[in-house]
Amino acid sequence: AQSVAQPEDQVNVAEGNPLTVKCTYSVSGNPYLFWYVQYPNRGLQFLLKYITGDNLVKGSYGFEAEFNKSQTSFHLKKPSALVSDSALYFCAVRDQAGTALIFGKGTTLSVSS
Amino acid sequence: ETGVTQTPRHLVMGMTNKKSLKCEQHLGHNAMYWYKQSAKKPLELMFVYNFKEQTENNSVPSRFSPECPNSSHLFLHLHTLQPEDSALYLCASSQEFDFYEQYFGPGTRLTVT
């Protein structure tokens, strides 16, 4: 069965510092991996995805994620955090045979000025 | 958020009421989804429609009844709900299944009294 884990409920960083939001997954076969962000009272917004190819994926708002097959991880990163990055971040995975996208429980990112 | 719209944004209903949630996507997508988002829990996939045909019903109670009259519109009919059904209900769409990202509406905040 597919699953995705976000081990941290909350990540706190200072503005200007690099940030990492962790995600690990479990699927049979090759995964399709996604990151979404949710601001208060809004729906989820797509940030980036990994399907195949280069392990480093670049997305919206300066975010990037690194696919690591041996560690079954897909951590979200940004070199320099902004206060406006404060939001709830979701990692999601689907295997090639599945129709459903399985979401993690989310990680709240708080960036302080 | 003109891509996927949801109405109403907020809904309060009693346990004996009947109401409907509406979702419309303006992206030309072929797949549409209903999710339930409860506090401190991962997003729960409820229903999936592909080319207007329901392809997944994730063990959702019969008090939730979906309808997809065309590829642009999706409804969720509600009747005799329980207080634990109070949540944010999110609609999403995607080009198709597989590796296409989903685009989410802003959600309907439902409170069952």
Side-chain angles (χ1 to χ4, degrees):
Chain A
Q2 304 174 111
S3 67
V4 59
Q6 294 180 242
E8 301 154 317
D9 287 340
Q10 178 142 353
V11 171
N12 300 309
V13 298
E15 187 174 32
N17 284 357
L19 69 87
T20 299
V21 183
K22 296 179 180 177
C23 172
T24 59
Y25 65 90
S26 174
V27 297
S28 54
N30 294 322
Y32 298 144
L33 293 155
F34 303 79
W35 275 102
Y36 289 82
V37 61
Q38 185 177 32
Y39 296 99
N41 302 313
R42 305 281 294 273
L44 278 68
Q45 295 179 35
F46 169 73
L47 279 178
L48 50 81
K49 66 181 179 182
Y50 171 82
I51 303 302
T52 186
D54 193 349
N55 289 344
L56 185 63
V57 179
K58 294 187 183 297
S60 306
Y61 312 119
F63 284 93
E64 58 189 28
E66 186 168 11
F67 171 63
N68 188 316
K69 188 173 184 177
S70 62
Q71 297 185 6
T72 62
S73 67
F74 189 57
H75 300 332
L76 181 70
K77 300 181 180 183
K78 188 173 182 180
S80 179
L82 300 173
V83 173
S84 57
D85 293 330
S86 299
L88 182 58
Y89 290 80
F90 291 95
C91 180
V93 66
R94 172 192 289 146
D95 65 28
Q96 291 179 346
T99 57
L101 195 59
I102 304 300
F103 285 83
K105 60 180 173 60
T107 298
T108 298
L109 173 66
S110 179
V111 182
S112 57
S113 57
Chain B
E1 296 163 323
T2 56
V4 180
T5 58
Q6 290 187 243
T7 55
R9 293 292 305 273
H10 301 272
L11 177 62
V12 179
M13 58 186 290
M15 290 190 286
T16 58
N17 290 158
K18 289 185 178 181
K19 295 288 185 182
S20 295
L21 310 184
K22 179 183 177 182
C23 174
E24 183 173 2
Q25 59 97 358
H26 310 271
L27 301 169
H29 289 165
N30 296 311
M32 296 187 76
Y33 312 78
W34 279 117
Y35 288 90
K36 176 183 179 182
Q37 185 177 25
S38 304
K40 307 298 183 184
K41 294 177 68 176
L43 263 71
E44 300 172 51
L45 178 66
M46 301 175 72
F47 301 103
V48 181
Y49 279 83
N50 191 31
F51 290 95
K52 303 187 298 178
E53 299 297 321
Q54 186 178 131
T55 59
E56 191 148 344
N57 175 340
N58 211 23
S59 302
V60 179
S62 59
R63 58 186 183 270
F64 294 91
S65 174
E67 178 189 2
C68 189
N70 54 60
S71 293
S72 298
H73 294 86
L74 185 64
F75 295 89
L76 187 63
H77 303 299
L78 317 171
H79 64 97
T80 59
L81 295 190
Q82 304 299 310
E84 60 265 28
D85 296 323
S86 299
L88 182 67
Y89 288 85
L90 293 165
C91 174
S93 70
S94 65
Q95 182 68 28
E96 290 184 27
F97 292 134
D98 296 332
F99 50 81
Y100 291 99
E101 59 272 23
Q102 296 178 17
Y103 290 82
F104 285 78
T108 295
R109 173 69 63 185
L110 173 66
T111 302
V112 181
T113 60

